[in-house]
Amino acid sequence: MSDIGYPVIEQIKYDPQATGKLEDAIDGDKLKRKLLMDYPTVYVIYSPIKSGGYKVYVGETNDIERRTEQHLNEDPKVRDDWRELSKSKDAQMFVIGHDHFNKSLTLDIENQMMLFMLGVPSVKRLNNRRENEQNEYYTSNEKDKIFSRIWRKLRGFDRDLFPVESIIRDSAIFKASPFHNLTTEQKNAKDIIIDRVIDALLSKKKGQLILVEGEAGSGKTVLLSTIFYLISTLKDDGSPLRQGFDHLKNYVLVNHDEQLKVYEDIIDKLNLNYKNDDVVSKPTHFINSHDESDPADVVLVDEAHLLWTQGKQAYRGQNQLDDILKRARITVAVFDRNQILKTEEYLEPQQIQNMEEKAMKQNNLIMLSNQLRIDANKETIEWIRDITDKKIIKKIPKDSKYDLRIFDDAKEMYEAIRHKALGDQKAGLSRILATFDWKYNSKRKPDNGDYWMVTAGDLSLPWNLQLKPKGGRSLNRLAWAEQEQTIDEVGSTYTIQGFDLNYCGVIIGPSVKYRNGHVVFDADASENTNAIRNRTLQDGQKRKVASQLLPNELNVLLTRGVNGLYIYAVDEELREALLRLE
């Protein structure tokens, strides 16, 4: 890494004398002057908040003196964020230079800084008005190494504002951030969706559906998050094509408590909320609080396979997607039929076909095929999918990139995952998960103890969401897997869906068996009442659909591990088959 050199960073007080203080800091140093005054730079301005944490602005410029003067004197006249910073008595500014900086690289470093700052717990408000991802350029291969050196040097100034990189990378908000570099497939999808959204808004269309389909780990959430950010920052530039874009009403809906927390944090930090309205909510709340006569502009639905297709609780309709379409000009929904988990989400094949045909008629069906979560070769991914899709177990392929292990002892697997989570700093976020084959009731304790337990062999651990967070501060806004105490719990599909782990240990419970050379799903051995109860079909018949939902449950669990998957099967024949083919 010595060939990329080291960054030059100066910290100065952000006030009307800021540019003079930067001159004083340079103090005749010719190299510093060249890198901070003559070259493009990246800068971070931050101010403490009374309630704790920081407000942060990230930017880049070819002329740090001119840009700083603009921020101090002109921007406060038209923007609240700069007005607040200009009045702060404690605001500070980092100016960052590097001898490899060019315009493209500083734009990419700025975008990377936004990505990381969004994941910093102490950052409560993050401001920037652009999406700066660049295409290939001369020094693009140096970005990650240069950024890591910048971040480590910034940690020397403030460890609260600049935590260890791995902590941020493991956070759910980082993984769902709109500032990730998109793949070519995601970029193409993004461009199509933005064009369709603008066209629908300009033509005053209503009930438009853009359907994005992709399997677990195909990058649907990052794509959706990016699109929401771009749409929310669309501005009326005075041209006929942008009239009224300053006042768009856009919403994100998700039927998942853990994912809801993540979107709420993103929206809060980026200041994308509306007064007296919930930008992020569950579908039922949106449907009940919006009228068809006054449709929203753009509604984005994450995990659309979790939408209800029958009435339940406060929802009195028959299909949440249909009701959302009636209340929006354009709806962008990301969907994976293999992640439908509950009978109230069940869609008959004809219903899925009708949904796809509706999107296709509007030329709005987008398919994502790349696997972005699991860092494994194609054969390993196929091996995982064959268990749920084809109900077969093949010999585990050799894969130097991916740690796939079968365990004969559940306790031994748990200890291996615990070591990854707590004893191996390079491993990162790791947790134990299980199929929903043990009793659990969130509303009461069991008769024989304090916790509902998952028991497999000699291992016995509480089900998720039962242990209280360790430490004095509240962690209830963090996703389940990010909370420290959850290393001593077992997660379910309902807490882990939509998220990933670096290493994932899966206890396959007694509902999954191996008989006559095939994987068999036994609804009688499952405690997942959401999947095994009757479902009323469109023709009025009541039918069990567990044979489709239980494989989906296992699919969600087996596709969480980025770098490794550890498996223990309760069923003896299944365990022996897995061990034999390891």
Side-chain angles (χ1 to χ4, degrees):
M1 287 179 61
S2 58
D3 57 322
I4 65 168
Y6 288 87
V8 172
I9 301 176
E10 286 294 338
Q11 182 182 24
I12 57 175
K13 186 173 177 59
Y14 179 75
D15 63 14
Q17 290 77 46
T19 53
K21 290 172 181 172
L22 183 59
E23 285 277 4
D24 293 341
I26 291 172
D27 191 27
D29 187 316
K30 291 183 180 179
L31 178 61
K32 280 188 179 180
R33 173 169 292 280
K34 180 174 74 168
L35 298 184
L36 299 182
M37 294 296 202
D38 300 333
Y39 275 33
T41 55
V42 175
Y43 58 94
V44 177
I45 302 171
Y46 69 99
S47 174
I49 300 172
K50 287 183 180 179
S51 58
Y54 305 95
K55 290 181 179 179
V56 176
Y57 183 92
V58 177
E60 67 79 39
T61 181
N62 288 335
D63 188 336
I64 191 63
E65 289 183 292
R66 181 187 62 79
R67 180 60 60 85
T68 304
E69 293 292 340
Q70 178 186 345
H71 287 330
L72 285 164
N73 301 316
E74 300 301 322
D75 290 339
K77 298 175 184 178
V78 294
R79 278 176 48 180
D80 292 339
D81 52 350
W82 286 113
R83 193 174 303 116
E84 292 171 2
L85 280 170
S86 68
K87 292 179 180 179
S88 172
K89 295 180 181 179
D90 301 310
Q92 297 284 319
M93 181 176 186
F94 290 110
V95 183
I96 304 161
H98 193 284
D99 62 0
H100 287 204
F101 272 2
N102 52 49
K103 187 65 174 180
S104 292
L105 184 54
T106 54
L107 285 169
D108 253 0
I109 294 292
E110 176 190 16
N111 205 60
Q112 188 88 334
M113 188 67 71
M114 287 289 289
L115 171 64
F116 271 70
M117 295 304 276
L118 188 65
V120 175
S122 63
V123 173
K124 306 303 180 184
R125 181 62 52 82
L126 182 61
N127 291 310
N128 185 284
R129 290 295 188 270
R130 295 175 299 182
E131 182 218 18
N132 294 322
E133 182 186 347
Q134 303 297 297
N135 293 320
E136 291 293 315
Y137 51 91
Y138 177 60
T139 53
S140 62
N141 63 320
E142 299 177 349
K143 180 196 71 174
D144 290 337
K145 291 180 180 178
I146 289 175
F147 179 81
S148 286
R149 286 194 168 177
I150 290 170
W151 191 266
R152 286 198 294 272
K153 191 163 186 177
L154 287 169
R155 273 184 52 74
F157 291 94
D158 190 326
R159 290 177 176 266
D160 184 38
L161 188 56
F162 302 99
V164 175
E165 280 185 69
S166 60
I167 292 175
I168 297 173
R169 289 184 184 277
D170 280 344
S171 69
I173 193 172
F174 176 89
K175 292 170 182 177
S177 170
F179 302 109
H180 281 284
N181 286 347
L182 302 181
T183 64
T184 300
E185 183 179 62
Q186 287 173 314
K187 285 179 185 176
N188 291 338
K190 177 200 71 176
D191 292 342
I192 292 170
I193 293 169
I194 294 295
D195 286 347
R196 299 284 194 276
V197 166
I198 291 175
D199 177 67
L201 293 174
L202 292 174
S203 60
K204 308 297 182 185
K205 294 176 181 176
K206 180 182 172 183
Q208 301 290 293
L209 172 64
I210 298 177
L211 188 64
V212 182
E213 291 196 48
E215 294 183 355
S218 58
K220 301 185 296 298
T221 292
V222 166
L223 175 62
L224 193 82
S225 174
T226 301
I227 290 165
F228 181 79
Y229 179 72
L230 293 176
I231 292 170
S232 297
T233 54
L234 284 174
K235 291 297 177 184
D236 187 340
D237 59 6
S239 70
L241 296 180
R242 292 290 179 91
Q243 288 181 0
F245 278 16
D246 278 346
H247 307 289
L248 295 177
K249 287 295 186 79
N250 311 317
Y251 299 87
V252 176
L253 309 180
V254 61
N255 232 352
H256 189 294
D257 291 336
E258 300 293 307
Q259 197 74 340
L260 195 68
K261 296 176 189 176
V262 175
Y263 279 116
E264 286 172 343
D265 279 349
I266 291 175
I267 300 305
D268 285 345
K269 287 192 176 191
L270 296 178
N271 197 25
L272 299 177
N273 274 311
Y274 309 132
K275 290 182 180 179
N276 304 318
D277 204 351
D278 295 312
V279 174
V280 180
S281 72
K282 288 191 173 182
T284 296
H285 175 79
F286 173 82
I287 292 166
N288 290 342
S289 58
H290 288 79
D291 195 88
E292 295 180 31
S293 62
D294 184 23
D297 290 303
V298 185
V299 174
L300 298 102
V301 184
D302 197 6
E303 311 276 2
H305 36 270
L306 304 183
L307 290 174
W308 295 344
T309 54
Q310 64 180 25
K312 182 186 176 187
Q313 298 171 345
Y315 177 61
R316 294 291 175 258
Q318 298 300 316
N319 187 302
Q320 286 187 327
L321 181 59
D322 289 344
D323 288 335
I324 292 166
L325 288 168
K326 293 172 185 174
R327 291 162 174 80
R329 299 195 184 284
I330 188 160
T331 300
V332 182
V334 297
F335 176 77
D336 177 6
R337 69 186 69 198
N338 293 318
Q339 291 195 63
I340 297 173
L341 299 177
K342 301 179 181 180
T343 55
E344 62 261 28
E345 302 159 1
Y346 180 73
L347 286 165
E348 296 172 46
Q350 187 59 50
Q351 289 177 294
I352 295 176
Q353 184 177 333
N354 291 344
M355 182 172 61
E356 291 176 333
E357 287 178 353
K358 179 179 178 63
M360 288 174 64
K361 285 178 182 177
Q362 300 165 354
N363 199 24
N364 287 342
L365 180 61
I366 297 171
M367 307 298 290
L368 298 179
S369 58
N370 292 338
Q371 170 56 245
L372 305 179
R373 176 183 293 138
I374 302 174
D375 187 18
N377 62 36
K378 182 181 177 183
E379 289 74 22
T380 298
I381 294 170
E382 286 180 354
W383 182 89
I384 294 170
R385 293 312 309 265
D386 281 345
I387 294 175
T388 54
D389 292 357
K390 297 180 181 179
K391 315 295 189 295
I392 58 173
I393 301 174
K394 296 188 294 189
K395 185 172 177 57
I396 296 177
K398 293 182 179 179
D399 191 339
S400 60
K401 294 198 302 178
Y402 198 71
D403 187 6
L404 176 54
R405 297 191 221 170
I406 311 301
F407 284 78
D408 193 29
D409 186 314
K411 195 169 185 179
E412 184 182 335
M413 182 179 77
Y414 166 64
E415 292 299 336
I417 288 294
R418 205 171 196 282
H419 174 72
K420 288 292 183 185
L422 304 177
D424 186 346
Q425 292 184 345
K426 294 182 180 180
L429 195 65
S430 306
R431 291 294 183 268
I432 290 282
L433 311 173
T435 53
F436 214 108
D437 294 344
W438 291 265
K439 291 183 183 297
Y440 176 72
N441 189 324
S442 61
K443 295 182 173 60
R444 64 177 180 86
K445 290 184 177 181
D447 296 333
N448 58 348
D450 290 332
Y451 304 117
W452 299 97
M453 306 296 286
V454 174
T455 302
D458 294 330
L459 179 68
S460 186
L461 292 174
W463 264 125
N464 44 209
L465 304 174
Q466 295 186 90
L467 297 182
K468 292 181 179 179
K470 296 179 180 178
R473 67 189 185 94
S474 173
L475 297 175
N476 61 358
R477 285 194 67 86
L478 292 177
W480 172 80
E482 291 182 82
Q483 298 181 35
E484 182 183 352
Q485 79 284 357
T486 62
I487 186 59
D488 296 316
E489 290 185 324
V490 178
S492 71
T493 50
Y494 303 121
T495 45
I496 204 64
Q497 188 173 32
F499 299 93
D500 59 50
L501 300 164
N502 290 337
Y503 287 82
C504 172
V506 177
I507 300 171
I508 302 179
S511 69
V512 187
K513 296 176 167 58
Y514 192 71
R515 300 291 185 267
N516 301 316
H518 285 84
V519 176
V520 176
F521 292 88
D522 180 5
D524 292 335
S526 173
E527 293 292 340
N528 190 354
T529 56
N530 290 316
I532 62 178
R533 61 194 170 198
N534 285 332
R535 165 66 196 238
T536 303
L537 303 182
Q538 285 188 299
D539 61 8
Q541 292 185 52
K542 292 185 182 297
R543 186 179 301 168
K544 291 190 180 298
V545 292
S547 61
Q548 295 163 67
L549 299 185
L550 292 182
N552 288 356
E553 177 188 18
L554 184 58
N555 166 55
V556 169
L557 298 177
L558 295 179
T559 55
R560 297 304 103 186
V562 174
N563 300 316
L565 169 65
Y566 298 170
I567 297 175
Y568 172 82
V570 171
D571 179 71
E572 188 174 351
E573 287 188 45
L574 177 58
R575 187 167 68 252
E576 288 177 354
L578 289 166
L579 289 166
R580 186 171 63 252
L581 293 167
E582 189 177 12

